[in-house]
């Protein structure tokens, strides 16, 4: 993605003469990053990033003291408007809703794109926050913006913005107690073993890798054949996976980094069939989330055709 690279700007000008031309590429990941965390959608985050570029390109930025904070604030305000209307779309969404996968990969050098707050588990936790709480939490706790700026985005007082962030922080901390983080090495071991068992149709092997209370969530959005209710229990989930694997046998299953964590990317008939993220507890898969909605996989397919695990950033 190369939004706004050099559009309408003369090369070689100084940052004082042309603050956007000099700073856009440096701050673009933060613009995209705040939008993705607030919306859980790569497509929407790209649209917001484009909107911010157009707004900034038409503005006089010479008096802006902190360009990054200004750009992030503009992105947050636009995302907040979308987030409020997205609540209705979530209510009418067919089946469970999961965040659109964001391929990060080893070349996503910008920390703002690969920290814990872009994982599917954290995005789902933040989905339980009210729109103002989510904005306050992301802007303050992830991006370090002062409460005065956050208050402007939310159209509330400074103390109210501080209270929203504090309340969101408590709710996030409470939810994270139930989503323990496995190490990268443990996650890779479990996913490698899981892939082998899945490819072999090994029911017993899958059961051994699944937590007895595992929850299986599939997001088809009414556009792909997917369970519209959660499936629980190791034995039951293993049976469903073996049956699905036999019916929709993948061409290959890749390990790739999604939202800063190792995940599985299933390919079938020359396209990405699903992107599967997991939570690992005590060496077992305790939550398995499968995104099958083709609208959420378009960008993953475009990137993986250029090399598994690579990032558009």
């Amino acid at each position: 993605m190369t939004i706004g690279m050099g559009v309408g700007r003369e090369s070689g000008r100084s940052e004082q003469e042309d603050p956007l031309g000099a700073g856009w590429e440096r701050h673009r990941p933060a613009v995209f990053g705040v939008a993705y965390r607030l919306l859980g959608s790569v497509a929407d985050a790209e649209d917001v990033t484009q909107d911010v570029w157009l707004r900034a390109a038409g503005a006089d930025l010479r008096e802006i003291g902190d360009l990054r904070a200004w750009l992030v604030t503009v992105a947050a305000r636009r995302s907040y408007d979308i987030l409020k209307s997205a609540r209705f779309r979530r209510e009418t969404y067919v089946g469970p809703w999961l965040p659109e996968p964001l391929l990060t990969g080893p070349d996503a050098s910008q920390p703002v794109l690969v920290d814990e707050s872009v994982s599917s588990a954290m995005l789902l936790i933040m989905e339980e926050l009210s729109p103002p709480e989510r904005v306050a939490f992301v802007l303050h706790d992830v991006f370090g913006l002062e409460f005065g700026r956050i208050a402007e985005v939310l159209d509330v007082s400074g103390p109210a913005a501080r209270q929203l962030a504090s309340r969101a922080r408590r709710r996030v901390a409470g939810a994270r107690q139930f989503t323990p983080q496995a190490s990268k090495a443990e996650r890779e071991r479990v996913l490698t073993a899981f892939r082998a068992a899945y490819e072999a149709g090994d029911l017993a092997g899958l059961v051994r890798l699944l937590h007895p209370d595992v929850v299986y969530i599939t997001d088809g959005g009414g556009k792909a054949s997917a369970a519209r209710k959660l499936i629980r229990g190791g034995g039951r989930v293993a049976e469903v996976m073996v049956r699905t694997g036999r019916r929709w046998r993948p061409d290959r299953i890749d390990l790739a980094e999604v939202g800063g964590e190792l995940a599985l990317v299933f390919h079938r008939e020359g396209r990405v069939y699903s992107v599967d993220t997991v939570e690992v507890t005590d060496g077992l898969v305790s939550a398995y989330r499968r995104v099958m909605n083709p609208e959420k996989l378009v960008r993953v397919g475009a990137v993986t055709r250029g090399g598994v695990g690579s990032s558009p950033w």
Side-chain angles (χ1 to χ4, degrees):
M1 178 176 168
T2 56
I3 292 173
M5 290 182 64
V7 178
R9 301 282 167 172
E10 298 178 15
S11 59
R13 298 179 67 185
S14 71
E15 187 160 351
Q16 285 185 338
E17 294 174 312
D18 188 5
L20 182 60
W24 174 251
E25 285 305 306
R26 185 165 70 252
H27 301 309
R28 179 168 56 90
V31 171
F32 176 88
V34 70
Y36 179 72
R37 286 168 176 83
L38 291 176
L39 301 172
S41 166
V42 175
D44 287 343
E46 288 176 347
D47 288 344
V48 168
T49 304
Q50 179 68 39
D51 289 346
V52 173
W53 159 254
L54 292 173
R55 167 78 183 279
D60 184 355
L61 304 178
R62 288 172 296 181
E63 300 302 319
I64 301 296
D66 186 339
L67 180 61
R68 178 182 184 274
W70 187 88
L71 292 169
V72 166
T73 301
V74 174
R77 187 175 292 113
R78 177 69 183 119
S79 298
Y80 182 43
D81 291 339
I82 297 172
L83 184 61
K84 288 183 288 187
S85 65
R87 289 283 158 166
F88 174 75
R89 297 205 305 269
R90 298 283 197 274
E91 292 171 0
T92 58
Y93 195 81
V94 178
W97 178 91
L98 293 172
E100 183 177 348
L102 173 65
L103 278 177
T104 47
D107 61 338
S109 58
Q110 292 283 350
V112 73
L113 295 177
V114 297
D115 69 18
E116 181 192 5
S117 62
V118 294
S119 70
S120 61
M122 179 61 83
L123 289 172
L124 286 171
I125 289 173
M126 290 195 292
E127 187 71 12
E128 298 301 314
L129 304 176
S130 70
E133 288 174 340
R134 187 166 182 168
V135 170
F137 176 79
V138 169
L139 290 183
H140 184 264
D141 286 46
V142 179
F143 287 87
L145 263 64
E146 59 188 26
F147 287 113
R149 286 186 177 273
I150 298 171
E152 292 176 6
V153 172
L154 298 176
D155 193 22
V156 299
S157 67
R162 184 184 298 273
Q163 187 176 32
L164 284 166
S166 178
R167 185 162 63 233
R169 191 179 307 114
R170 289 195 300 270
R171 295 182 63 185
V172 169
R176 288 177 64 186
Q177 294 179 23
F178 303 101
T179 56
Q181 294 296 305
S183 68
K184 183 177 180 179
E186 183 179 31
R187 181 179 291 269
E188 183 172 4
R189 178 187 64 78
V190 171
L191 283 179
T192 300
F194 187 94
R195 178 174 62 177
Y198 189 101
E199 290 177 326
D202 181 0
L203 178 63
L206 288 174
V207 171
R208 286 194 295 271
L209 290 165
L210 294 170
H211 193 280
D213 298 321
V214 65
V215 59
Y216 177 52
I217 309 167
T218 55
D219 176 350
K223 304 177 186 302
S225 179
R228 297 190 180 183
K229 295 184 179 180
L230 307 187
I231 300 173
R232 299 181 184 275
R236 175 63 176 148
V237 170
E239 290 174 359
V240 170
M241 288 188 164
V242 168
R243 185 167 65 248
T244 302
R246 288 172 179 166
R247 182 182 178 188
W248 304 104
R249 184 167 295 278
D251 300 330
R252 73 177 197 271
I253 307 172
D254 296 324
L255 291 173
E257 189 177 292
V258 175
E261 297 180 338
L262 202 60
L264 297 173
V265 178
F266 286 67
H267 299 258
R268 181 174 177 270
E269 298 179 350
R271 67 177 182 86
V272 174
Y273 168 72
S274 75
V275 174
D276 300 5
T277 58
V278 303
E279 288 177 25
V280 176
T281 304
D282 298 328
L284 300 173
V285 176
S286 54
Y288 195 101
R289 304 184 182 99
R290 169 168 283 181
V291 176
M292 303 172 66
N293 184 338
E295 293 182 352
K296 295 183 178 182
L297 300 176
V298 172
R299 292 156 191 80
V300 176
V303 174
T304 55
R305 283 194 293 273
V308 173
S310 62
S311 167
W313 297 97

